[in-house]
Amino acid sequence: MDVGSARFSELFGSFPTPIAIVTAMDGEGQPFGFTSNAVCAVSAADPSLLISVGKGSRTLPAIMSSQAFAVNFLAASGQVASQVFASKATDKFANTQWRPSAVAQGAPLLVDIALSYAECKVENAIEVGDHWLFIARVEGTAVFPREPLLYRRGDYGFWSPQNIDAAELSAVR
């Protein structure tokens, strides 16, 4: 079977993913950001992660020029912001509180709606198809006691842990 873009999207839409807002500050002090579920850990030994940014993203020039960004993993309360940052709105930060990162060139940290965030400095950029992949060193983090926002097949959901103890787990096997 030929794997076209629709089939590829169906594959990656079949399971829930965390939602993040990737932010960066351009050289003129203007904040930029977009909603993403294309974030993954690269290495814990040398704390690093990878993001994928479309070539048409208005945030791309800010990441390229600053060589830094923040990944704000969203808590359940961040659904509206996720939708705003996924849109083509001209001022995505109008109704979003943020503070500048001290280590990621002022990239906006969305502390009120974040489950956690990573402050990153770009170490490598790779052009792949219609995207840029950025591998970055994580220079700072924070984690908050909130529930994560998840996304699957065009809809939002929330984490509902199923605490299974060791005896129940062995019975399932």
Side-chain angles (χ1 to χ4, degrees):
M1 176 187 299
D2 183 38
V3 179
S5 62
R7 186 76 173 159
F8 185 80
S9 294
E10 181 183 17
L11 168 68
F12 279 91
S14 68
F15 53 87
T17 61
I19 298 296
I21 295 176
V22 176
T23 59
M25 190 69 73
D26 75 4
E28 297 171 8
Q30 182 72 29
F32 287 86
F34 67 95
T35 300
S36 176
N37 66 348
V39 178
C40 75
V42 173
S43 173
D46 182 24
S48 53
L49 57 74
L50 178 145
I51 64 168
S52 178
V53 183
K55 288 182 178 177
S57 170
R58 290 182 292 184
T59 306
L60 180 60
I63 294 172
M64 291 284 216
S65 67
S66 68
Q67 290 293 291
F69 58 86
V71 177
N72 297 274
F73 292 98
L74 296 182
S77 62
Q79 182 174 339
V80 170
S82 170
Q83 293 167 325
V84 169
F85 279 82
S87 76
K88 298 292 183 191
T90 54
D91 186 3
K92 296 179 181 182
F93 292 89
N95 297 310
T96 303
Q97 296 294 318
W98 61 277
R99 66 176 176 84
S101 166
V103 296
Q105 302 297 322
L109 301 174
L110 311 178
V111 296
D112 291 343
I113 58 171
L115 170 70
S116 57
Y117 63 75
E119 299 167 282
C120 305
K121 291 187 179 175
V122 174
E123 291 193 333
N124 200 357
I126 305 162
E127 187 176 7
V128 179
D130 61 351
H131 280 69
W132 278 92
L133 303 180
F134 292 94
I135 299 170
R137 180 165 180 77
V138 178
E139 298 282 337
T141 65
V143 177
F144 306 101
R146 301 172 182 151
E147 293 301 315
L149 181 64
L150 301 174
Y151 188 77
R152 178 180 179 256
R153 292 189 177 153
D155 201 6
Y156 291 91
F158 309 101
W159 178 251
S160 179
Q162 302 293 315
N163 293 320
I164 299 176
D165 66 23
E168 289 177 283
L169 187 57
S170 65
V172 173
R173 291 183 192 165

